[in-house]
Amino acid sequence: YFLANGKLSFEIPQTEDASAFDSYISDPAHPVPYRLRPIEETYSPGSRWSTWLTEDQRFVHMRPDVLSWETETLGSDVTVTGDLVTHLFASTTGTDSDWIVKLIDVYPENYPKDRAMGGYQLMIANEVMRGRFRKSFEKPEPIKPNEVVEYSIDIHSNDHTFLKGHKIMAQVQSTWFPIIDRNPQKYVDNIFLATESDFQAATQRVYRSKRFPSYIALPTTNK
């Protein structure tokens, strides 16, 4: 569950304040990159294209348009096996929006086994939900501005053990360029025909209360 002050917990939020949320401004003119710049030509010598899914996510962790929540240091191993699904309660001031969720294994800052991995944020699972398709891929529709919507985002099956001493992190953002094309954040019938004036910044809110408990369902083998 996403909690206040960037905390991630296996306990449901206790706040009764349904308006409790974290927010950021998503601007299509300044999208979050999918890997560290400068980005090499895809198939050029030294290109990191083939390994971008393992890129250290610290390069976006402190961006103002990326939200992060993390657990306390794990006191024991947590093994995840099966389908991972995010239930995101969110709103936007726009009429369309992308919601990108990343599940991350955070290594200890002091990691004697491999000092280069100290503090590393290893992405384990990810997916994007384009808001217009929240109900149907055949019949997209705009989002009502400022309305809290529950998005079910399948971040796919995984088998991974978060080791004792590590942390579990979730990140949410609304751009992931250019691996995901920019959403204008204003509903248009065909994004590929959007004009420059259609692209607009939007304020995104991710809620975290008893009424709107954003969370990632992790099928664990731990008892």
Side-chain angles (χ1 to χ4, degrees), residues 169-181:
M169 175 182 283
Q171 287 184 355
V172 173
Q173 59 200 60
S174 292
T175 52
W176 211 13
F177 188 75
I179 202 73
I180 301 297
D181 62 325

Side-chain angles (χ1 to χ4, degrees), residues 10 71-78 162-168:
F10 287 99
T71 65
E72 298 294 334
T73 301
L74 298 176
S76 59
D77 294 355
V78 175
F162 296 89
L163 297 176
K164 177 181 178 180
H166 291 223
K167 295 180 180 180
I168 302 173

Side-chain angles (χ1 to χ4, degrees), residues 90-99 130-134 141-149 151 183 185 187:
S91 69
T92 177
T93 56
T95 50
D96 196 7
S97 177
D98 287 353
W99 302 101
R130 180 146 286 177
R132 62 173 53 216
F133 299 120
R134 66 198 180 280
E141 60 182 68
I143 300 168
K144 184 177 179 180
N146 299 310
E147 180 176 77
V148 181
V149 176
Y151 298 91
N183 189 324
Q185 302 183 158
Y187 186 88

Side-chain angles (χ1 to χ4, degrees), residues 80-198:
V80 174
T81 300
D83 199 30
L84 315 181
V85 180
T86 302
H87 296 269
L88 192 71
F89 289 87
S91 69
T92 177
T93 56
T95 50
D96 196 7
S97 177
D98 287 353
W99 302 101
I100 293 125
V101 178
K102 298 182 289 187
L103 181 67
I104 294 167
D105 186 340
V106 182
Y107 281 62
E109 288 292 339
N110 183 18
Y111 195 68
K113 293 181 187 177
D114 184 350
R115 296 194 181 279
M117 292 296 291
Y120 203 96
Q121 294 181 7
L122 177 64
M123 184 166 59
I124 301 304
N126 63 80
E127 189 51 279
V128 56
M129 163 62 75
R130 180 146 286 177
R132 62 173 53 216
F133 299 120
R134 66 198 180 280
K135 296 180 181 179
S136 167
F137 287 112
E138 291 77 20
K139 297 180 180 180
E141 60 182 68
I143 300 168
K144 184 177 179 180
N146 299 310
E147 180 176 77
V148 181
V149 176
E150 180 180 4
Y151 298 91
S152 180
I153 307 172
D154 189 338
I155 55 176
H156 312 299
S157 296
N158 210 304
D159 294 290
H160 181 79
T161 296
F162 296 89
L163 297 176
K164 177 181 178 180
H166 291 223
K167 295 180 180 180
I168 302 173
M169 175 182 283
Q171 287 184 355
V172 173
Q173 59 200 60
S174 292
T175 52
W176 211 13
F177 188 75
I179 202 73
I180 301 297
D181 62 325
R182 295 179 305 145
N183 189 324
Q185 302 183 158
K186 170 187 174 182
Y187 186 88
V188 293
D189 289 335
N190 187 336
I191 283 180
F192 296 107
L193 300 179
T195 64
E196 184 176 351
S197 62
D198 291 326

